[in-house]
Amino acid sequence: MNFDETDKKLLLLLQEDCKQTTKELSYKLNLSVTAVYERIKKLENLGVISKYVALLDRHKINRDFIVLCHIKLTQHKKEFVLQFEREVMNLLEVTECFHVSGDYDYILKIGVKDMEDYRNFMLSKLTALQHIASTHSSFMISEVKNTTAIVL
């Protein structure tokens, strides 16, 4: 898909703050309100903009203990992979899950209150999932970069 410079700027502005009005965006892009509205609708209809969300401050909601948990499955059978993926979707503490290549099969990003909360999560939820051979957890020391913006 090809985007002109105006589309690229519009997408960046929306990623920075999607609550900006079309009037505010039109001023920043030097376009009419109608032109901005039509561009946004086009990008939504094409699926470029898939949804609008509110990003929460982890510290203010007491979910600032971040864990990257590497998971190995017992086998790579299709049914084991699909079952694990279905089950992990129901774990509210897991904010991201990636099926990866290399020594591990999955990497989970988990947000909990503290180490005790993570231990409870491991014992009561994660280890209850079937077909997990091993886990390896790494704990975030500090956040160097965290962005949801994709620059075209």
Side-chain angles (χ1 to χ4, degrees):
M1 207 174 283
N2 292 324
F3 302 99
D4 65 18
E5 287 306 309
T6 303
D7 282 338
K8 291 177 184 179
K9 288 177 189 173
L10 175 59
L11 288 168
L12 192 57
L13 289 168
L14 287 170
Q15 288 180 96
E16 289 171 0
D17 179 7
C18 68
K19 288 190 76 171
Q20 296 177 80
T21 65
T22 50
K23 184 176 181 179
E24 291 170 317
L25 292 166
S26 70
Y27 177 75
K28 292 175 182 177
L29 296 169
N30 199 26
L31 293 173
S32 71
V33 171
T34 303
V36 170
Y37 176 81
E38 288 173 357
R39 280 179 182 263
I40 291 172
K41 281 296 162 205
K42 178 187 81 172
L43 293 165
E44 290 171 347
N45 291 335
L46 290 171
V48 175
I49 298 172
S50 59
K51 65 177 157 178
Y52 297 92
V53 299
L55 300 176
L56 306 181
D57 183 325
R58 287 193 317 270
H59 304 287
K60 292 184 180 178
I61 62 168
N62 212 12
R63 293 285 182 273
D64 55 348
F65 190 78
I66 303 300
V67 183
L68 296 177
C69 184
H70 297 71
I71 306 280
K72 261 188 203 179
L73 298 183
T74 55
Q75 294 181 40
H76 296 111
K77 292 167 75 173
K78 181 179 179 179
E79 66 225 43
F80 288 11
V81 167
L82 295 177
Q83 181 178 4
F84 174 82
E85 290 177 358
R86 273 192 312 274
E87 291 176 349
V88 83
M89 293 294 289
N90 295 321
L91 300 176
L92 300 179
E93 296 86 350
V94 176
T95 57
E96 298 179 55
C97 175
F98 302 99
H99 192 180
V100 297
S101 63
D103 292 336
Y104 293 93
D105 299 311
Y106 291 91
I107 299 174
L108 308 180
K109 183 177 177 184
I110 301 163
V112 290
K113 185 173 109 178
D114 53 23
M115 180 63 84
E116 182 180 346
D117 202 22
Y118 181 62
R119 182 176 191 279
N120 291 334
F121 168 78
M122 283 288 293
L123 294 175
S124 65
K125 295 183 181 180
L126 193 59
T127 57
L129 300 185
Q130 296 182 36
H131 313 302
I132 293 179
S134 67
T135 65
H136 175 86
S137 299
S138 300
F139 307 101
M140 181 181 75
I141 295 171
S142 71
E143 187 172 82
V144 177
K145 180 178 181 179
N146 181 351
T147 182
T148 57
I150 300 170
V151 179
L152 302 176

